[in-house]
Amino acid sequence: MAIRLLVVDDSAFMRKAIENMLQKAPDIQIVGFGRNGKEAVELAEKLRPDVITLDIEMPIMDGLEALSQIMSKCPTSVIMVSSLTSEGAEATIKALELGAVDFLTKDKSFASFGVMKLEDQIIEKIRQFATKKHFRIPTAKPKQSIQPKTTFTPTAVKAGSGNKRIVAIGTSTGGPQSLQKVIPLLPSSLNKPVLVVQHMPPNFTASLANRLNTLSQLTVVEAQGKEKLEPNIVYIAKGGFHLKIKKIGTNYYTDVTNEPSNMLHIPSVDVMVESVAENFGRDALGVIMTGMGSDGLKGLQKLKGLGGAVIAQNQETCVVYGMPRAVVEAGIADEVVPLESIANTIINYCK
């Protein structure tokens, strides 16, 4: 059965471009086109598509308001189509909180972040989210105000080998929403640095870091390079750059680089975790969360081989069970836990 897709964009050129991109995917059928948010809501209710691609900046009703109404009236897997601007990044983070399953970025050449072309990416994402099992109802209400930083008392979970000195987290599709259920629950008593790779383009990682910082007890920053690793600071890898660690004397510093440049994802979870493994070995904790593909597997295999510990998110709570699946099937996960238990498990390993 063909995947039914609704395309909504105020640009006729973009609507046609998406149509052309899908010509090599006969299993995807465009059932309608919308030119603004109002039409998006009406067509979503009328056509009941499997997936919607939804532009953010549109007349009459913008994509965020349309998304909010769609999720309320006829919940559907929605992929946002966003510009690479700072404004587009902030709106995209908000859209993911409202229930969008993922996003695509567009620029003048219609190329996306990393080395994947938009054509390949859009087909992969539509196929991935066509089944309802990937759909996730947002827990945050539309227009919810930012909650103040709060204290957190961890509950008892399975104890791990403690006293890890650093935490390395890798995630992709579904990561922005999922990180909001992990990073804000890490207490100031953690007293360890945390490195995070989230597959995102430039501007988006800065917006993500800012959002997480408002919600968390730890300080969350986008890594700029040459920063001394400090306890209770979360370093988000900068979009378009890898995040590594460099030791100078007795201290460790962030190293932001675009090498290796031949990676499928930049930033890469593998590159970051391998660097953590090389510098901290058995004293490091690796965490792999929701995402397509297998980025992180090689790095975590190295970390595990050096005596480090590995946590994987379970299938039931992943938006996409790809990256954690690769780690679990490789047999290197010390624990496989649901999203809501990841923070507690990290705390146990860092005691």
Side-chain angles (χ1 to χ4, degrees):
M1 183 178 294
I3 297 168
R4 293 164 49 80
L5 174 69
L6 171 62
V7 177
V8 182
D9 199 295
D10 65 321
S11 166
F13 178 76
M14 189 62 185
R15 293 196 300 272
K16 186 64 177 178
I18 293 176
E19 183 180 20
N20 290 339
M21 290 174 191
L22 298 178
Q23 287 183 351
K24 70 176 186 179
D27 57 321
I28 301 174
Q29 175 190 4
I30 298 178
V31 295
F33 291 96
R35 297 166 295 178
N36 55 62
K38 184 174 181 293
E39 291 185 1
V41 177
E42 293 171 350
L43 290 172
E45 288 188 278
K46 177 182 177 181
L47 300 174
R48 300 286 170 165
D50 299 309
V51 182
I52 301 172
T53 62
L54 181 63
D55 191 20
I56 291 179
E57 298 180 10
M58 295 183 294
I60 303 177
M61 182 189 292
D62 66 23
L64 290 179
E65 179 59 32
L67 174 64
S68 179
Q69 292 194 26
I70 289 170
M71 300 308 281
S72 174
K73 297 178 179 180
C74 51
T76 309
S77 293
V78 178
I79 301 172
M80 306 305 293
V81 180
S82 172
S83 67
L84 284 167
T85 63
S86 296
E87 293 77 11
E90 291 177 8
T92 301
I93 298 299
K94 181 62 178 176
L96 293 171
E97 292 177 3
L98 290 173
V101 291
D102 205 358
F103 66 95
L104 296 162
T105 54
K106 60 180 179 181
D107 61 13
K108 292 181 180 178
S109 63
F110 296 109
S112 63
F113 65 100
V115 298
M116 290 182 69
K117 292 184 178 179
L118 185 60
E119 178 181 278
D120 297 325
Q121 201 180 42
I122 191 172
I123 292 172
E124 179 184 16
K125 289 179 185 293
I126 290 170
R127 286 172 175 162
Q128 184 72 52
F129 295 117
T131 55
K132 298 301 180 184
K133 65 181 180 180
H134 294 297
F135 175 71
R136 296 177 65 82
I137 297 175
T139 54
K141 295 181 180 179
K143 299 182 180 179
Q144 182 183 33
S145 60
I146 294 175
Q147 298 299 314
K149 299 184 181 186
T150 57
T151 58
F152 174 68
T153 303
T155 55
V157 296
K158 181 181 177 182
S161 53
N163 204 28
K164 297 303 181 186
R165 295 170 55 202
I166 190 170
V167 180
I169 300 175
T171 187
S172 184
T173 310
Q177 310 99 305
S178 299
L179 286 170
Q180 290 192 33
K181 297 182 179 180
V182 175
I183 303 301
L185 296 185
L186 297 177
S188 56
S189 59
L190 187 73
N191 207 34
K192 317 291 180 183
V194 179
L195 274 61
V196 177
V197 166
Q198 162 70 55
H199 294 158
M200 276 186 158
N203 291 329
F204 286 65
T205 46
S207 294
L208 176 64
N210 291 337
R211 173 61 176 167
L212 288 171
N213 189 55
T214 65
L215 300 172
S216 305
Q217 295 184 57
L218 308 188
T219 299
V220 185
V221 300
E222 182 189 56
Q224 301 300 313
K226 300 182 179 179
E227 300 142 309
K228 181 182 175 182
L229 288 190
E230 300 280 4
N232 292 337
I233 297 183
V234 180
Y235 303 88
I236 305 286
K238 192 173 186 177
F241 294 88
H242 296 299
L243 176 58
K244 298 181 181 180
I245 295 174
K246 181 178 292 185
K247 186 177 183 181
I248 302 176
T250 58
N251 295 317
Y252 297 90
Y253 297 83
T254 61
D255 183 20
V256 174
T257 174
N258 49 23
E259 294 296 332
S261 59
N262 62 341
M263 303 296 290
L264 179 63
H265 299 289
I266 304 177
S268 161
V269 180
D270 277 328
V271 170
M272 183 269 286
V273 175
E274 285 182 9
S275 181
V276 169
E278 290 166 0
N279 283 279
F280 288 88
R282 67 188 302 275
D283 294 326
L285 170 64
V287 182
I288 194 75
M289 294 170 54
T290 177
M292 293 182 187
S294 60
D295 186 25
L297 174 59
K298 292 181 180 179
L300 290 170
Q301 285 176 322
K302 184 170 187 175
L303 187 149
K304 181 73 173 179
L306 293 172
V310 177
I311 299 170
Q313 184 177 349
N314 72 353
Q315 181 174 0
E316 291 76 15
T317 61
C318 281
V319 175
V320 178
Y321 189 57
M323 289 159 56
R325 179 196 293 272
V327 169
V328 171
E329 291 184 349
I332 60 171
D334 292 282
E335 297 194 47
V336 181
V337 300
L339 177 61
E340 57 269 20
S341 297
I342 289 178
N344 284 356
T345 309
I346 290 173
I347 293 167
N348 269 312
Y349 275 88
C350 291
K351 286 180 179 178

